Amino acid sequence: MIRFSRASVTYPGGVTALKDLDLEIADGELLVIVGLSGAGKSTLIRAINGLVPLTGGDVTIDGRSVRGASPRELREIRSRIGMIFQTFNLVKRTSVLNNVLMGRLHATPTWRSLIGRYRPADVEIAMQALERVGIVDKAYVRASDLSGGQQQRVGIARALAQEPTTILADEPVASLDPPTSHVVMRDLQRINQELKITTIVNLHFLDLAKQYGQRIVGLRAGELVYDGPGASADERVFRDIYGRSLTANDVLGAAPVG
């Protein structure tokens, strides 16, 4: 269970990104967060693993405080949280497999990681992660030679290689075309359903949020303005979240392929 209790984040300069947020996320849930740019979506996700420190309240994971964690405790918390980024964050000059193996660094002695001698068991975990996202055949290809969609699937595999209890995906399809966006979202949905990994995804595209979000949370100016099933989130709900009428830029606008 992830629990936000009156959680607030105010950045230097006085900008409030989260304001007294109360939110509970159950184990194994697929949650999609929506809101305008600057609504606090990325801040919420990054507060879970301590990348953005709270300035008020707390966030706890299975009863363990993130805000009150020591550096060692925070490393332990982060080791069980996989992160997927909008810009992929791959080391382009090395192989896909080596990128995925970076998800095993928390469980790998420093000397092994420095010389690239990972244990066979870790290599097997990485290969299984690549197989789960359908690109095991790319294991020995340089990451720079992949398409954007394939690179994001490497990012998902790297997160999976951590053997996490939670996956955080910060705008994972923002750089992708519509068909590839659906491929990536289906991967995340399937991983959530099959492995029961709590999955929290920030999305801008409202049709994707409604299609893949078991539950949707809407943020506006750092405050919670909607919390309900994806199936119940109609155009009126999204207008309330966004504070304006919807535009073509708010939807992906393409049917899924395959």
Side-chain angles (χ1 to χ4, degrees):
M1 171 78 73
I2 297 170
R3 178 180 286 113
F4 287 82
S5 303
R6 297 188 63 81
S8 297
V9 174
T10 300
Y11 289 111
V15 175
T16 297
L18 284 183
K19 184 177 179 183
D20 294 331
L21 178 71
D22 288 316
L23 180 68
E24 291 187 356
I25 304 168
D27 292 342
E29 194 166 20
L30 174 54
L31 177 74
V32 172
I33 305 167
V34 297
L36 288 171
S37 230
K41 303 189 302 296
S42 291
T43 299
L44 187 157
I45 273 194
R46 290 165 184 259
I48 292 173
N49 59 6
L51 287 178
V52 172
L54 296 180
T55 54
D58 202 1
V59 56
T60 59
I61 302 174
D62 296 332
R64 299 176 68 185
S65 170
V66 175
R67 187 181 185 192
S70 67
R72 179 177 179 179
E73 290 170 335
L74 193 55
R75 285 194 299 272
E76 290 175 359
I77 289 170
R78 287 173 176 167
S79 73
R80 303 308 307 276
I81 299 175
M83 187 86 183
I84 299 165
F85 302 89
Q86 175 183 338
T87 53
F88 317 140
N89 282 18
L90 303 182
V91 180
K92 300 289 185 67
R93 65 182 181 274
T94 192
S95 71
V96 165
L97 179 59
N98 282 340
N99 272 280
V100 177
L101 281 165
M102 291 176 189
R104 301 299 304 158
L105 289 177
H106 69 283
T108 301
T110 302
W111 72 268
R112 283 188 175 274
S113 62
L114 288 175
I115 64 174
R117 288 191 61 185
Y118 288 89
R119 292 170 292 212
D122 290 325
V123 174
E124 179 62 23
I125 289 169
M127 294 295 278
Q128 288 176 357
L130 285 169
E131 186 171 12
R132 193 167 285 278
V133 296
I135 55 170
V136 69
D137 58 314
K138 304 293 186 183
Y140 298 102
V141 173
R142 280 169 63 105
S144 59
D145 293 336
L146 300 184
S147 68
Q150 289 170 331
Q151 289 186 41
Q152 189 57 289
R153 293 164 95 178
V154 174
I156 295 172
R158 178 182 56 199
L160 276 179
Q162 284 183 235
E163 299 185 309
T165 57
T166 300
I167 286 178
L168 309 176
D170 195 4
E171 298 279 7
V173 302
S175 304
L176 306 177
D177 60 39
T180 307
S181 296
H182 281 283
V183 169
V184 167
M185 288 305 301
R186 282 199 300 266
D187 282 339
L188 291 173
Q189 184 183 57
R190 188 180 66 256
I191 287 164
N192 167 259
Q193 292 172 347
E194 293 177 359
L195 301 181
K196 308 303 181 187
I197 297 173
T198 306
T199 305
I200 305 169
V201 186
N202 282 348
L203 289 177
H204 174 77
F205 298 116
L206 304 182
D207 46 351
L208 280 185
K210 185 174 174 65
Q211 180 170 348
Y212 296 102
Q214 212 176 58
R215 174 184 172 197
I216 290 177
V217 159
L219 294 180
R220 187 174 174 188
E223 297 187 82
L224 182 68
V225 294
Y226 177 78
D227 184 356
S232 301
D234 56 17
E235 187 169 337
R236 178 189 58 80
V237 166
F238 286 127
R239 278 203 307 271
D240 290 343
I241 296 170
Y242 278 54
R244 58 164 172 76
S245 297
L246 303 186
T247 70
N249 291 330
D250 298 324
V251 294
L252 194 63
V257 175

